[in-house]
Amino acid sequence: MAVSRFRPSILLRSALGLAALISLSSCSSSQTLQAAGASFPAGLYQRWFADLASKDKIRVNYQSVGSGAGIRQFQAGTVDFAASDKPLDAKDAAAIKRGVVQLPLTAGAIAVAYNLPDCNLKLSQTQLVQIFEGKIKNFQQLGCANQPIQVVVRSDSSGTTYNFSNSLAAFSPSWKKGSGVGKSVNWPTGVGAKGNEGVAASLLQTKGSIGYVEAAYVRGVLKAAAIANRAGAYALPDAVSSRQALATINLGSDLTGNDPNPSAGYPIVTFTWVLLYKNGNAAKLPSLQRTFNYALSDAAQKQAPSLGYIPLPAPVLAKAKDALASVGP
């Protein structure tokens, strides 16, 4: 009988010990991935990474610092992966000693956002270029109220800037010969702000301002201008028009293609990529695979529209999954 009095205590200690072991096992299976890069897809990525933290115990520390900074950290080997709105070209990709796999994860439109009540802008490609060249200085020249234009641009190295300036160059020979195309360009006019977040904040604070941001950042008093595509039709950066344009883009076998002036839909659209090391991932490969298998899943892709992004077309999704499978230890 004396033994029986202690049996509940023994059972309790055993149960607590088992619980501790389970807890320890859960903790040991969790892992943190370090990442940095594009602010363009940051809203969607943060949603996905929050899901992973709660469901799969994978924590992704993602720094929305711009594509240029993310690529530099990737080249230096200080992150587990990077994100960029401009994929590496063949030369830069070949310089990555561990190799690189570039996965499109989502897509979106770059909106020309402005802050002016009672104004509904419809811009030809020429007018858009002239605004950012500083040749159109007042909204009155565009059929709206007499209000000086304050252009807002990115101050950091940015894939959004690359894609926007690439479209301006496709729209206009004068832009191509002048400021040209790059993650950073010599803007003829405008004030700078860091990240899509910074440009959007500056636009919200300044009546008469106009700038370029990922479409999900058009909120509050901001509106998006309708832009003429190559066929001369005006389109807004909504989901339908963006999908029409993305459907015309051939990404190619390496999944890095683009078209800066599509003939259908809204003309300033882009896929956005993550950069993974092809080799040397042994310690974190299971977490990387789970992270990006989730990002390419139907459940994750279905979250894109509610946050202002475009899910990957089915053929692109299939190719991205094949590319992910090529990432090794």
Side-chain angles (χ1 to χ4, degrees):
M1 293 299 294
V3 173
S4 66
R5 285 203 309 268
F6 293 99
R7 190 169 295 156
S9 176
I10 293 169
L11 290 173
L12 179 60
R13 285 199 300 270
S14 298
L16 288 172
L18 180 60
L21 284 171
I22 293 171
S23 175
L24 201 58
S25 174
S26 297
C27 289
S28 65
S29 66
S30 66
Q31 196 165 51
T32 298
L33 299 175
Q34 300 295 337
S39 64
F40 182 94
L44 182 58
Y45 288 2
Q46 297 291 10
R47 170 70 66 83
W48 289 345
F49 299 154
D51 290 347
L52 282 162
S54 62
K55 297 175 184 177
D56 210 359
K57 298 190 182 303
I58 297 172
R59 182 169 178 265
V60 180
N61 179 20
Y62 183 74
Q63 302 171 51
S64 175
V65 292
S67 297
I71 288 173
R72 287 192 295 274
Q73 292 188 47
F74 185 78
Q75 291 169 327
T78 59
V79 290
D80 297 305
F81 68 89
S84 178
D85 304 324
K86 178 187 181 298
L88 296 179
D89 59 27
K91 180 180 177 181
D92 287 338
I96 304 297
K97 294 180 180 179
R98 291 167 58 185
V100 59
V101 174
Q102 304 188 81
L103 298 180
L105 281 196
T106 190
I110 299 174
V112 178
Y114 63 98
N115 181 349
L116 189 66
D118 303 318
C119 175
N120 294 303
L121 282 184
K122 290 179 64 177
L123 300 174
S124 69
Q125 294 186 352
T126 298
Q127 286 174 320
L128 176 59
V129 171
Q130 289 180 343
I131 289 169
F132 284 86
E133 287 179 331
K135 295 176 181 176
I136 293 178
K137 301 176 181 295
N138 195 298
F139 278 95
Q140 197 169 43
Q141 295 172 263
L142 303 169
C144 293
N146 181 9
Q147 173 69 46
I149 291 174
Q150 174 62 70
V151 172
V152 182
V153 298
R154 289 284 289 271
S155 61
D156 54 326
S157 178
S158 155
T160 305
T161 295
Y162 171 82
N163 286 295
F164 185 66
S165 62
N166 199 23
S167 287
L168 295 184
F171 297 167
S172 166
S174 69
W175 186 274
K176 188 174 182 178
K177 292 177 183 176
S179 295
V181 179
K183 293 191 291 291
S184 296
V185 299
N186 185 20
W187 295 101
T189 187
V191 296
K194 187 176 181 180
N196 277 283
E197 303 92 337
V199 173
S202 183
L203 293 172
L204 283 165
Q205 294 166 7
T206 310
K207 182 179 178 182
S209 58
I210 189 167
Y212 60 97
V213 289
E214 195 276 323
Y217 290 85
V218 180
R219 58 184 185 269
V221 298
L222 301 184
K223 294 181 182 178
I227 309 295
N229 60 29
R230 193 169 76 228
Y234 288 85
L236 288 165
D238 57 30
V240 172
S241 294
S242 298
R243 285 194 188 100
Q244 286 178 329
L246 289 165
T248 71
I249 297 176
N250 179 12
L251 279 172
S253 59
D254 62 356
L255 299 176
T256 61
N258 67 69
D259 184 348
N261 193 9
S263 58
Y266 182 77
I268 315 176
V269 293
T270 181
F271 290 93
T272 186
W273 293 261
V274 293
L275 282 57
L276 300 173
Y277 298 108
K278 189 171 181 66
N279 302 296
N281 304 298
K284 294 189 176 180
L285 184 59
S287 294
L288 288 167
Q289 291 283 3
R290 292 203 302 273
T291 296
F292 294 107
N293 275 314
Y294 174 69
L296 295 171
S297 70
D298 289 343
Q301 290 290 314
K302 285 178 180 177
Q303 295 180 22
S306 65
L307 294 172
Y309 300 90
I310 311 298
L312 294 179
V316 176
L317 199 61
K319 290 180 181 178
K321 289 177 180 178
D322 287 343
L324 176 60
S326 73
V327 174

